[in-house]
């Protein structure tokens, strides 16, 4: 469709979204952005309207992670935009490609005390790859097309397009609005104002008639050099105890996840998966280890970090022994070198790099590592047995480890797990085995509580064929409970399992020990299931271990009927997370 046929600026934005196959726009409405929403809807784009702008951005983030294409959110000017900052930062640190369309005051009134008018650039710019500030109607389409490409290029991340309201409505209305604003006065000042506004409007619409809707831009995926592939193969060929750690960035090409999984299997070296890469090799692959990663890294003589920076999760690189050959495959030079200079730096897409390696590795290589694999496997099995022992402990209410063992059995083979919480989620990440590529979503390095509902909306609307579970701490669930309203209105059958330990336990654990004070960490056994019912969803309460299995089965049945469900599970205290602290 050409721009000439577009009725207003909202149509121009929607044309580009449509041309790029954007399936869904996540939003909370506002007069500043109405034309974008209605024009998108008219083109068959699904509009999911949520209850907090942060949710809209979290949803776009999750949609991007599961589809590999930028998620799109639209929010109104001022407070609509400020509400997104946490979610934007989360997406930036998680390197998740999304486009945020934000409203803005009319171009002629910015800085003059208009409704919701603030200087949005200094607030948003630090958290995005680029802030598009627009002044002309003809810039709308190209800016959105550029933003969609830029979000995915290089190191993926969020991009912001500021769309002033007077660029979005139809030309006749805007001209009339400016004519009215000019008034009918005859003084010199009045006539000067009219002249100024007339010129302003002419410039705004200048060239807008003959603009053609921009084509879909191709996205430049950075590729690591052949030299780095060769150097890595040589290092792996010499290594006695090689190890790979694969993280979220390696799976940003979501459509290639299966190919990547096959490549990793072909490499034949033991592998730990983190972030979005969890589940890449299925539930129980012989090469995948889950436990005792620190010890494995200390022992390894050649560590390949694929899309994983040496941040706090690897103790700033200290988990890898000094004498080991360190290979860092990463799109970001900053991440590849963070805290520790690698011996081989493969600057480019880590997923493609792994595929290139697998294409050149000798098939007999894998059998060389049988002894090393057996050592790691024995440790992994021992830890699983220990988890089983801890799962067997019975108390008054529900043992969280046993709960996740049950969820492991009950959840469907296609289940997607969204993780939002403290200890409850950390326990889940040890006990649950994500079963397919792209089936585990956690906030990432920003450690943001409150991602759960938005991630679930993004996941379920992107992959409606799959079961979506939220593993929620009771503290964390409070951020997103209102979105049960969204689940119900939009028929999004999410199952939320709330680990109700009546507290912000991850914080309480250390705070009480170190400061002898539980101030601000205590919650109640709140009836979250009743809250869900209040929004028209299903709510189930589980206070005893022997109710768990039936409740999970029932929740799945209800979800299959299209009903969102909240299962409120009263937990017992456990020692499982004792001693863990992240700084
Ligand atoms: C937005 C935000 N606020 C505060 C924190 C600090 N924080 C980390 S874990 C945690 C406790 C989470 O409690 P809950 O969700 O109930 O999980 P639990 O640890 O009790 O299992 C808090 C408050 C955070 N990570 N993010
Ligand atoms: Mg809690």
């Amino acid at each position: 469709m050409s721009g000439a046929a577009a009725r207003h600026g909202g149509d121009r934005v929607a044309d580009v979204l449509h041309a790029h196959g954007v399936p869904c726009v996540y939003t909370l409405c506002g007069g500043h952005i109405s034309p974008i929403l209605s024009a998108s809807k008219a083109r068959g784009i699904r509009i999911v309207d949520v209850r907090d702008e942060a949710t809209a951005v979290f949803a776009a983030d999750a949609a991007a992670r599961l589809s590999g294409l930028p998620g799109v959110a639209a929010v109104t000017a001022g407070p609509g935009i400020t509400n997104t900052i946490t979610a934007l930062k989360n997406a930036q640190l998680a390197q998740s490609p999304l486009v945020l369309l934000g409203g803005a005051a009319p171009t002629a009134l910015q800085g003059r005390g208009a409704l919701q008018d603030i200087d949005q650039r200094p607030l948003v710019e630090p958290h995005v790859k680029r802030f598009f500030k627009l002044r002309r109607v003809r810039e709308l389409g190209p800016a959105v097309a550029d933003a969609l490409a830029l979000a995915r290029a290089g190191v993926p991340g969020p991009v912001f397009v500021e769309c002033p309201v007077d660029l979005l409505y139809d030309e006749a209305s805007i001209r009339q609005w400016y004519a009215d604003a000019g008034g009918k006065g005859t003084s010199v000042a009045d006539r000067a104002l009219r002249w100024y506004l007339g010129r302003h409007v002419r410039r705004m619409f200048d060239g807008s008639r003959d603009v053609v809707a921009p084509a879909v831009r191709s996205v430049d995926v950075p590729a690591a050099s052949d030299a780095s592939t060769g150097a890595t193969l040589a290092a792996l060929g010499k290594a006695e105890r090689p190890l790979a750690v694969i993280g979220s960035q390696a799976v940003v090409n979501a459509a290639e996840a299966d190919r990547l999984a096959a490549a990793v299997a072909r490499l034949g070296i033991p592998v730990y998966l983190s972030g979005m890469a969890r589940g890449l090799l299925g539930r129980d692959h012989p090469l995948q280890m889950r436990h005792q990663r620190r010890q494995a890294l200390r022992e390894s003589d050649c560590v390949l970090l694929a899309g994983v920076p040496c941040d706090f999760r690897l103790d700033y690189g200290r988990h890898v022994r000094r004498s080991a050959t360190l290979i860092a495959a990463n799109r970001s030079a900053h991440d590849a070198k963070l805290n520790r200079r690698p011996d081989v730096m493969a600057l480019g897409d880590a997923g493609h790099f792994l595929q290139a390696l697998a294409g050149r590795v000798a098939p007999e290589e894998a059998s060389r590592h049988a002894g090393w694999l057996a050592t790691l496997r024995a440790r992994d099995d021992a830890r699983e047995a220990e988890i089983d022992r801890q799962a067997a402990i019975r108390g008054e209410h529900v043992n969280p480890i046993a709960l996740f063992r049950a969820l492991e059995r009950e959840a469907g083979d296609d289940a997607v797990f969204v993780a939002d919480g403290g200890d409850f989620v950390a326990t889940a990440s040890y006990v649950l085995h994500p079963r397919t590529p792209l089936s585990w979503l956690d906030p990432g390095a920003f450690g943001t509580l409150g991602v759960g509902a938005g991630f679930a909306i993004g996941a379920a609307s992107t992959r409606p064929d799959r079961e979506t579970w939220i593993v929620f701490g009771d503290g964390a669930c409070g951020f997103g409970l209102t979105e049960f309203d969204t689940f119900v209105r939009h028929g999004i059958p999410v199952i939320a399992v709330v680990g109700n330990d009546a507290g912000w336990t991850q914080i309480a654990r250390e705070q009480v020990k170190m400061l002898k004070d539980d101030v601000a960490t205590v919650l109640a056994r709140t009836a979250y299931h009743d809250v869900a019912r209040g929004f028209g969803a299903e709510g189930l309460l589980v206070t005893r271990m022997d109710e768990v299995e039936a409740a999970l089965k029932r929740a799945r049945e209800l979800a299959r009927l299209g009903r969102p469900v909240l299962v409120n599970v009263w937990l017992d205290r456990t020692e499982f997370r004792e001693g863990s602290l992240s700084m």
Side-chain angles (χ1 to χ4, degrees), residues 74-205:
V75 300
T76 202
I81 287 166
T82 56
N83 272 349
T84 66
I85 298 293
T86 299
L88 266 187
K89 195 75 201 178
N90 192 71
Q92 184 192 43
L93 293 194
Q95 301 178 342
S96 190
L98 65 87
V99 172
L100 178 59
L101 306 169
T107 46
L109 294 180
Q110 289 182 9
R112 294 167 187 267
L115 171 71
Q116 299 176 331
D117 178 33
I118 52 167
D119 188 1
Q120 299 178 149
R121 187 195 282 271
L123 273 168
V124 174
E125 200 160 43
H127 320 297
V128 294
K129 294 180 74 172
R130 185 151 165 212
F131 184 105
F132 284 88
K133 191 165 185 70
L134 307 184
R135 280 287 169 273
R136 308 267 188 275
V137 171
R138 66 164 190 266
E139 295 165 351
L140 280 166
V144 177
D146 284 347
L148 287 163
L150 183 60
R152 291 169 68 198
V155 180
V159 179
F160 184 84
V161 184
E162 187 185 66
C163 307
V165 61
D166 50 348
L167 304 189
L168 293 179
Y169 281 87
D170 69 276
E171 186 169 345
S173 304
I174 295 300
R175 283 189 183 279
Q176 188 58 50
W177 183 82
Y178 273 97
D180 293 347
K184 295 194 167 20
T186 53
S187 71
V188 174
D190 288 333
R191 276 183 281 153
L193 176 65
R194 274 201 295 282
W195 175 83
Y196 168 79
L197 290 178
R199 188 186 62 163
H200 185 86
V201 175
R202 265 197 311 285
R203 285 185 177 171
M204 250 169 55
F205 287 101

Side-chain angles (χ1 to χ4, degrees), residues 6 72 112-113 124 127 194 258 293 344-345 381 442 449:
V72 177
R112 294 167 187 267
V124 174
H127 320 297
R194 274 201 295 282
D258 290 330
R293 186 175 78 174
V344 180
M345 188 152 75
D381 289 347
D442 62 30
L449 290 184

Side-chain angles (χ1 to χ4, degrees), residues 59 63 153 282 290 356 372 383 390 450 506 511 522:
R290 293 169 197 281
W372 167 232
R383 180 69 177 136
Q390 300 210 32
Q506 182 179 317
Q511 184 177 304
V522 181

